[in-house]
Amino acid sequence: MLFKKRYTLALASAIMMLLAGCATPLPEMGDDGLCQHMGENMQSKTDRVPGIRAELQRRNLLTQSELQAVDRSDLLIGMSRCGMFAVKGIPIGRNETTTAAGTSTQWIFQNTRTTGRREYVYTRNERVTAWQN
């Protein structure tokens, strides 16, 4: 009986969070998930952006210049991976290239705001080094 009561409460809580539009409360999200969530909400221009932005600031995941760039939906050379996700959202794929100089990553995003085309962002050591669209 106690298990059934706990299960019912957990199920009701999960349904309420889904109806609110967020399956995981912001404080419980991982850093990458939170950054990607910011990007998705920025693209959709939802009213959740201020709360996500506040959580990003609370965790110190973005510098002040990155926060300003995110507000403008701009990528910056040298921007952190979190900043990239906060601008671009959830990637649809990634490729890694390893050379004698180290490993770089190509992130693939679907541009849903303007062209609908794929955009590619390149990172090394978790920092944006280049992009193409």
Side-chain angles (χ1 to χ4, degrees):
M1 184 72 148
L2 183 59
F3 173 76
K4 188 174 182 180
K5 211 177 236 187
R6 284 185 185 165
Y7 176 77
T8 303
L9 285 173
L11 183 60
S13 177
I15 289 171
M16 286 174 32
M17 284 189 285
L18 283 172
L19 290 174
C22 180
T24 304
L26 296 179
E28 295 176 20
M29 269 188 189
D31 290 349
D32 278 351
L34 181 66
C35 299
Q36 292 171 357
H37 193 54
M38 177 66 164
E40 292 299 305
N41 281 275
M42 286 289 290
Q43 291 176 19
S44 303
K45 303 209 184 306
T46 71
D47 59 355
R48 291 187 207 107
V49 169
I52 301 167
R53 190 178 198 283
E55 183 65 16
L56 288 168
Q57 287 179 293
R58 187 186 72 76
R59 295 187 197 184
N60 266 340
L61 294 176
L62 300 173
T63 66
Q64 193 60 38
S65 63
E66 286 178 322
L67 281 167
Q68 292 168 354
V70 168
D71 290 342
R72 296 186 311 267
S73 298
D74 287 341
L75 278 176
L76 301 173
I77 298 294
M79 179 178 261
S80 67
R81 188 169 90 168
C82 179
M84 173 191 70
F85 288 148
V87 170
K88 293 293 185 183
I90 300 170
I92 61 171
R94 79 178 205 181
N95 299 306
E96 288 190 346
T97 303
T98 303
T99 66
T103 302
S104 60
T105 305
Q106 175 195 56
W107 298 91
I108 306 163
F109 296 91
Q110 188 73 40
N111 181 333
T112 56
R113 283 183 280 180
T114 55
T115 64
R117 295 183 352 196
R118 288 187 176 178
E119 295 180 339
Y120 303 89
V121 180
Y122 301 89
T123 60
R124 179 180 289 266
N125 299 324
E126 310 261 329
R127 297 283 172 186
V128 173
T129 57
W131 63 83
Q132 71 182 65
N133 48 14

